[in-house]
Amino acid sequence: MPLAINKFSNKNDMCRQLSAFIINKLKDVVGQKGFATVVLSGGRTPLNLYRQLLPDLISASLDLDKIYFFFSDERFSKVEEDSNYRLAQDHLLSQANISFDNIFPMISNRSKSITDNRDAYAKTIDSFFINRESEIVFDIVILGIGLDGHTASIFPGDNKILSKDIVRDVYPKNANPPVPRLTLGLETINKSSNIVFVTDSLEKEGIVKKVLENTQDYSYPASLVNKEKSSFYFVAS
Ligand code: 6PG
């Protein structure tokens, strides 16, 4: 299948088209199986997408009670601003009146250890799909790419990158912020139906091209994600 590459001269056009893609995919999936699952990326790139996705979600003829939101990764940090969940909640989920029953934050109990939260999230995911008599296959996974080629919280130098764990605790040395994190495992991401890479700044054009040119290059973990199921949406010169 040819690579789904969508280049844009500006982020607004990109977000408009990507939002339409997501909405249409959600309509198809909910129509087929009665529910849909979305994995939201971390970082700040999604904020531009949410500005477009929010009105589109609200105006689409979609039963939002049938859409379930998970996260690709989360910082195990006491600082609220670092929270990927908080950004998604403030800029999309709460404004779209998504029920808390349909949102699954990675950190369910900040007073517990990162490994307790890891195990709890893996159980949450497993139970969610078992209850729907389904394998663990997310319908849409939205991912960013770091300048070093990381995605989710799978960073270069990760020596357990091929772990089959649904959720992993990771301690990346070069992450920003440099805090422990939880991340979906690479295998869980690769089992998903539709993976969407999004970058919205020209500074990322080079790394996107490296990821596109390389397959299975551990220097660029994003290149390990199954391109057969991936679409790339990025701003380029
Ligand atoms: C995180 C992310 C990470 C992010 C990239 C891009 O928690 O940091 O999930 O993979 O998507 O670092 O981040 P920006 O969108 O902020 O450039």
Side-chain angles (χ1 to χ4, degrees):
M1 187 177 96
L3 262 180
I5 296 174
N6 306 278
K7 274 199 305 193
F8 297 86
S9 57
N10 67 81
K11 66 175 87 171
N12 292 335
D13 288 350
M14 180 183 79
C15 291
R16 255 192 299 280
Q17 191 158 323
L18 176 51
S19 180
F21 169 82
I22 292 170
I23 296 291
N24 289 332
K25 189 59 73 179
L26 288 173
K27 284 180 178 174
D28 289 350
V29 173
V30 170
Q32 286 158 19
K33 62 182 190 180
F35 72 96
T37 52
V38 180
V39 173
L40 298 176
S41 165
R44 302 197 65 81
T45 297
L47 300 188
N48 289 311
L49 171 60
Y50 295 162
R51 263 190 279 283
Q52 181 66 55
L53 189 55
L54 176 60
D56 290 355
L57 264 183
I58 292 170
S59 61
S61 52
L62 264 173
D63 182 348
L64 298 180
D65 286 341
K66 293 180 177 176
I67 301 170
Y68 297 88
F69 294 89
F70 296 80
F71 292 83
S72 63
D73 60 320
E74 186 57 274
R75 295 82 178 273
F76 199 70
S77 160
K78 297 270 183 274
V79 178
E80 193 66 354
E81 288 69 44
D82 288 343
S83 164
N84 292 327
Y85 163 73
R86 172 56 48 213
L87 285 178
Q89 184 62 6
D90 291 351
H91 294 270
L92 179 68
L93 302 173
S94 58
Q95 296 191 50
N97 293 318
I98 304 294
S99 160
F100 281 109
D101 293 338
N102 289 53
I103 304 168
F104 300 94
M106 270 193 150
I107 309 292
S108 50
N109 186 335
R110 213 166 276 282
S111 65
K112 294 207 167 179
S113 71
I114 187 170
T115 49
D116 287 345
N117 279 279
R118 175 201 65 195
D119 297 343
Y121 204 58
K123 193 166 180 335
T124 295
I125 291 173
D126 201 36
S127 307
F128 177 90
F129 285 99
I130 285 176
N131 293 341
R132 289 161 181 80
E133 296 173 358
S134 163
E135 292 292 308
I136 297 176
V137 178
F138 289 108
D139 295 305
I140 301 175
V141 176
I142 302 168
L143 294 174
I145 301 177
L147 285 170
D148 61 358
H150 80 261
T151 192
S153 281
I154 306 172
F155 285 80
D158 180 339
N159 58 15
K160 294 184 181 165
I161 211 163
L162 296 180
S163 157
K164 295 196 177 304
D165 292 342
I166 301 170
V167 186
R168 297 176 54 216
D169 53 311
V170 292
Y171 308 83
K173 297 180 183 61
N174 307 319
N176 177 26
V179 296
R181 293 151 173 249
L182 290 181
T183 186
L184 291 184
L186 183 62
E187 186 183 60
T188 304
I189 292 171
N190 278 335
K191 287 196 298 190
S192 307
S193 300
N194 301 278
I195 302 162
V196 182
F197 282 105
V198 195
T199 63
D200 66 3
S201 60
L202 278 176
E203 69 166 351
K204 296 260 182 94
E205 183 177 1
I207 190 61
V208 171
K209 288 186 174 166
K210 279 208 179 96
V211 167
L212 286 169
E213 286 156 9
N214 289 281
T215 46
Q216 305 300 317
D217 186 333
Y218 290 79
S219 317
Y220 313 114
S223 74
L224 303 174
V225 173
N226 185 337
K227 289 193 175 64
E228 291 281 308
K229 300 181 177 179
S230 299
S231 309
F232 289 77
Y233 284 75
F234 61 104
V235 170
S237 49

